[in-house]
Amino acid sequence: MQDSLTLQLLGEFIGTLVLILLGDGVVAAVSLKKSKAEGAGWIAIALGWGLAVTLGIYCSAFLSPAHLNPAVTLGMAIAGVFPWSSVIPYIIAQTLGAIVGATIVWLNYYPHWQETDDPATILGVFATGPAIRNYFFNFLSEFIGTFVLVFALLAFTRGKFTSGLNPIVVGLLITAIGFSLGGTTGYAINPARDLGPRIAHQILPIANKGKSDWAYSWVPIFGPLAGGAVAAFAYLLIP
């Protein structure tokens, strides 16, 4: 059993690492100066994140359920399809994977930080931030986006997909959330996705970086956790 849990944690670590490497990577490509993709815009970012989720799942699903998201892990536990004893270990593995993934993004784009002189742009590669800072509505936006994510994932468990297709459907779900709901906060909808890279931003010697905006950091942590939890309770109400 312990060996099984160890492999599952490895899967969550690897999957979240890939998720952040490719997700934060597309933001870096679009945002940093002298990148060949500079200015590609929101469509590239939303599609990139959807692909990042899909490939993160494919890279880890042979080891773990590939939650790659503490809000998903919590929601699955509330829904009774995941053991409560594994929740905290999963969240730790996911957050560590996110830190490492963000660190690799920093290394991959190393010359471009020096060329980018806006600290807010640099932070935006790593962590989410609101278009309009209003903590209540920022929280609500993260809550709604994650509610849709977790409820849909639970609904998917009642359907049948062709073998191997589920990660693509989940990636499309993430892309849809990004297009439709993500313009307010950058749609973290995943506490590890925001916290891990924000920690990396804090500790790495990134050229031209500013503060890590910890005053906002609770929103992309507790908004998704609350949204995922309520989605699971709502799912349980359906016979």
Side-chain angles (χ1 to χ4, degrees):
M1 183 66 180
Q2 187 61 40
D3 288 343
S4 174
L5 178 59
T6 300
L7 288 176
Q8 290 176 41
L9 297 179
L10 178 62
E12 293 297 310
F13 174 87
I14 292 171
T16 312
L17 187 160
V18 172
L19 164 65
I20 298 302
L21 174 60
L22 299 181
D24 280 5
V26 71
V27 180
V30 169
S31 303
L32 298 181
K33 296 295 183 183
K34 297 188 178 180
S35 161
K36 289 183 179 293
E38 183 183 357
W42 188 251
I43 292 176
I45 289 174
L47 289 174
W49 272 106
L51 291 169
V53 170
T54 295
L55 296 171
I57 294 172
Y58 276 126
C59 287
S60 58
F62 71 101
L63 290 169
S64 77
H67 294 168
L68 317 185
N69 183 338
V72 173
T73 298
L74 177 63
M76 294 297 173
I78 291 172
V81 296
F82 184 75
W84 280 101
S85 61
S86 296
V87 169
I88 296 300
Y90 263 52
I91 291 174
I92 292 172
Q94 291 157 359
T95 304
L96 290 175
I99 293 172
V100 175
T103 300
I104 299 172
V105 171
W106 169 62
L107 291 171
N108 187 74
Y109 284 93
Y110 191 86
H112 295 268
W113 310 108
Q114 188 65 52
E115 299 293 333
T116 306
D117 56 8
D118 180 18
T121 297
I122 291 172
L123 176 60
V125 172
F126 293 88
T128 61
I132 298 174
R133 188 171 294 248
N134 181 309
Y135 288 120
F136 174 80
F137 285 104
N138 301 153
F139 181 95
L140 182 63
S141 182
E142 290 291 339
F143 177 97
I144 292 170
T146 315
F147 181 98
V148 172
L149 171 63
V150 173
F151 189 87
L153 291 177
L154 287 166
F156 291 168
T157 65
R158 297 197 181 189
K160 294 182 179 179
F161 293 101
T162 300
S163 179
L165 185 61
N166 190 64
I168 295 175
V169 176
V170 176
L172 290 173
L173 172 62
I174 295 295
T175 302
I177 292 171
F179 280 144
S180 302
L181 303 172
T184 53
T185 63
Y187 70 115
I189 57 173
N190 179 342
R193 173 264 173 275
D194 191 272
L195 178 59
R198 197 180 296 269
I199 291 171
H201 178 273
Q202 176 71 47
I203 63 178
L204 291 173
I206 305 166
N208 293 322
K209 76 171 182 179
K211 295 182 179 180
S212 300
D213 194 14
W214 289 103
Y216 179 78
S217 65
W218 66 273
V219 173
I221 295 174
F222 294 106
L225 289 175
V230 173
F233 284 121
Y235 173 80
L236 291 173
L237 295 175
I238 301 173

